[in-house]
Amino acid sequence: MPLKFLAEDDRPREKFLQKGKNSLSDSELLAIIMGSGSREESVVELARKILSSVNNNWHQLGLLSIKDLMKFKGIGEAKAISIIAALEIGRRRAGQEIPEKTVIGNSNDAYLILKNQLSDLRTEEFWAIFLNNSNKVVHISQLTQGGISQSVVDVRVLFKIALDHFSTGIIIAHNHPSGSLKPSREDVHITQKIKEAGMTLSIQLLDHIIITQDSYFSFSDTGLL
């Protein structure tokens, strides 16, 4: 539905869905936090009025108390608390450092990440580590849980996750509850299948690791990739 045919109270959310968060004005962002306006004015108009009172400055808005906000018609205690809480989240976020992503430089780095999840299991599980072009970990995911002897992975699911996280590299891993480090015929087959699918999408399979209780086997280290 075109935006011009929507009620103004619905426009910020609809605009968010259609065009993304960066398309919203400050008043539209505040309107989403408030949810509704008053009988006399829409939520966007009310948000515009509140921001105008502090010279459209978020820092100044953050200095207002619940009582200050409740002076605006249409702002009750619940809306005032929502506004202040949202601003507090922003303040805390700004004060936090972005956590440094783990860099994987070799098979042992990948093993150390996954050994606690996989080394002591009685059934097979299939996991994947997703990396960016700097070999930094952007996501880790358990893909399947299998029986005693095997865990089958859906290659489509694997690469959907990779695309969702803008990964350029993947390390796959599964455990052998039997304790054997020798790759099975199925292990070799799924490795080749994932490698070929990744080439089509320009997402490189960097390694396949088999994990046992006290050791691991790397396809990359042994030249099987």
Side-chain angles (χ1 to χ4, degrees):
M1 182 182 294
L3 293 177
K4 66 180 181 179
F5 293 114
L6 294 170
E8 189 166 6
D9 283 359
D10 295 330
R11 290 183 187 177
R13 292 184 180 86
E14 186 71 17
K15 186 176 179 181
F16 186 109
L17 291 172
Q18 291 186 2
K19 298 184 178 181
K21 60 186 179 182
N22 293 330
S23 69
L24 298 177
S25 66
D26 287 355
S27 59
E28 288 169 332
L29 287 170
L30 183 57
I32 289 176
I33 293 169
M34 295 192 300
S36 62
S38 66
R39 292 183 179 180
E40 286 77 20
E41 56 192 351
S42 73
V43 64
V44 175
E45 291 171 337
L46 179 56
R48 195 174 293 125
K49 180 184 293 184
I50 293 171
L51 284 171
S52 179
S53 73
V54 292
N55 296 316
N56 297 303
N57 188 293
W58 290 109
H59 295 287
Q60 292 299 315
L61 182 61
L63 297 176
L64 299 186
S65 66
I66 291 176
K67 289 184 178 180
D68 291 332
L69 289 168
M70 289 176 65
K71 292 177 182 178
F72 293 92
K73 190 171 183 179
I75 300 294
E77 186 176 70
K79 287 182 183 177
I81 290 173
S82 294
I83 293 170
I84 292 174
L87 292 170
E88 177 62 14
I89 290 171
R91 185 191 69 80
R92 294 186 187 187
R93 182 187 181 213
Q96 288 181 339
E97 294 183 359
I98 299 174
E100 186 66 27
K101 292 181 172 66
T102 302
V103 177
I104 293 183
N106 52 53
S107 62
N108 190 63
D109 291 340
Y111 167 66
L112 291 176
I113 290 175
L114 292 176
K115 71 173 184 176
N116 289 337
Q117 283 83 6
L118 292 170
S119 61
D120 293 326
L121 299 179
R122 293 186 177 181
T123 58
E124 283 195 14
E125 293 186 4
F126 194 102
W127 287 62
I129 302 173
F130 301 89
L131 304 98
N132 63 18
N133 57 10
S134 299
N135 280 353
K136 291 184 178 181
V137 177
V138 294
H139 186 65
I140 300 173
S141 180
Q142 179 199 57
L143 295 172
T144 63
Q145 290 177 294
I148 294 175
S149 62
Q150 66 175 344
S151 179
V152 179
V153 62
D154 189 327
V155 177
R156 295 169 299 179
V157 173
L158 173 68
F159 282 101
K160 181 183 183 303
I161 297 172
L163 292 170
D164 286 345
H165 290 86
F166 303 98
S167 303
T168 58
I170 299 173
I171 295 173
I172 55 175
H174 77 284
N175 60 308
H176 276 183
S178 66
S180 171
L181 287 173
K182 183 179 179 181
S184 68
R185 183 180 302 173
E186 290 77 14
D187 295 338
V188 174
H189 174 72
I190 192 64
T191 302
Q192 189 62 30
K193 187 175 180 180
I194 291 172
K195 179 181 178 180
E196 291 174 359
M199 291 172 65
T200 302
L201 297 170
S202 297
I203 300 175
Q204 184 179 4
L205 178 61
L206 300 171
D207 205 348
H208 183 177
I209 296 174
I210 298 172
I211 296 176
T212 63
Q213 191 170 35
D214 56 7
S215 190
Y216 74 96
F217 174 91
S218 164
F219 275 66
S220 179
D221 291 350
T222 54
L224 293 179
L225 269 179

